[in-house]
Amino acid sequence: MKAVIQRVSQASVTINEKIVASINSGLLVLLGVVDDDAQEDITWLSNKIVNMRIFPDEEGVMNNSIIDNQGDVILVSQFTLHANTKKGNRPSYIKAAKPDVAIPLYQDFIKRIESDLGKPIQTGEFGADMHVALINDGPVTIIIDTKNKD
């Protein structure tokens, strides 16, 4: 699994001109799934996201997690995170999991992060044409790949 985590002061997801998710302070997480992702990837990544200390404490130092700040999360599926751009100018998405594999893992990830966070999150819609808007706070953007835990 690959995730792009963005600390936001505001974010929303719109599908067919209807806002389906909207938060203020929190995280916008873009998630890409590959065929060999498993429950251990879900567990590790969710734990990493909810405990990552990327929010300022009372002294302005990034010492607080999303749990500490009681912030919200929007999770958006994004197969293009696994684009291969090695050859030519047209990215290949062959590494991205097909929906029959990706959807169950995406749904399991939602359940896991809600459990780890201790509250429901908001999401986009798997496979939909979404418009994602955000105000990146900081800016803080972190990329995590469960296949490279260095």
Side-chain angles (χ1 to χ4, degrees):
M1 289 187 158
K2 192 178 284 188
V4 175
I5 300 136
Q6 298 176 91
R7 187 179 79 185
V8 298
S9 56
Q10 188 176 38
S12 65
V13 177
T14 303
I15 302 172
N16 295 326
E17 299 182 22
K18 180 182 177 198
I19 295 174
V20 297
S22 178
I23 63 170
N24 288 316
S25 180
L27 298 175
L28 172 66
V29 179
L30 307 175
L31 182 72
V33 178
V34 293
D35 284 333
D36 63 348
D37 284 330
Q39 291 300 316
E40 72 178 36
D41 295 291
I42 291 169
T43 301
W44 184 86
L45 185 57
S46 177
N47 181 61
K48 188 62 100 171
I49 291 170
V50 301
N51 290 297
M52 191 174 302
R53 299 184 319 170
I54 58 173
F55 289 89
D57 62 14
E58 57 280 345
E59 296 175 14
V61 178
M62 285 198 285
N63 273 329
N64 288 343
S65 69
I66 188 79
I67 293 173
D68 297 326
N69 274 28
Q70 300 177 354
D72 294 311
V73 173
I74 294 179
L75 179 69
V76 175
S77 64
Q78 188 168 354
F79 73 93
T80 60
L81 292 180
H82 291 289
N84 183 334
T85 58
K86 188 174 183 177
K87 290 173 45 179
N89 293 318
R90 182 177 180 185
S92 168
Y93 304 107
I94 196 142
K95 289 183 179 179
K98 302 289 184 255
D100 61 319
V101 171
I103 291 171
L105 289 169
Y106 175 71
Q107 291 171 338
D108 287 351
F109 190 83
I110 292 168
K111 291 176 191 167
R112 180 59 190 232
I113 201 166
E114 286 179 335
S115 174
D116 289 347
L117 189 60
K119 66 181 183 178
I121 67 165
Q122 296 186 51
T123 67
E125 181 182 317
F126 191 95
D129 182 16
M130 296 175 270
H131 293 204
V132 179
L134 69 134
I135 299 174
N136 193 315
D137 183 17
V140 175
T141 301
I142 297 171
I143 301 170
I144 299 178
D145 189 336
T146 62
K147 305 304 185 232
N148 184 11
K149 296 177 181 164
D150 294 340

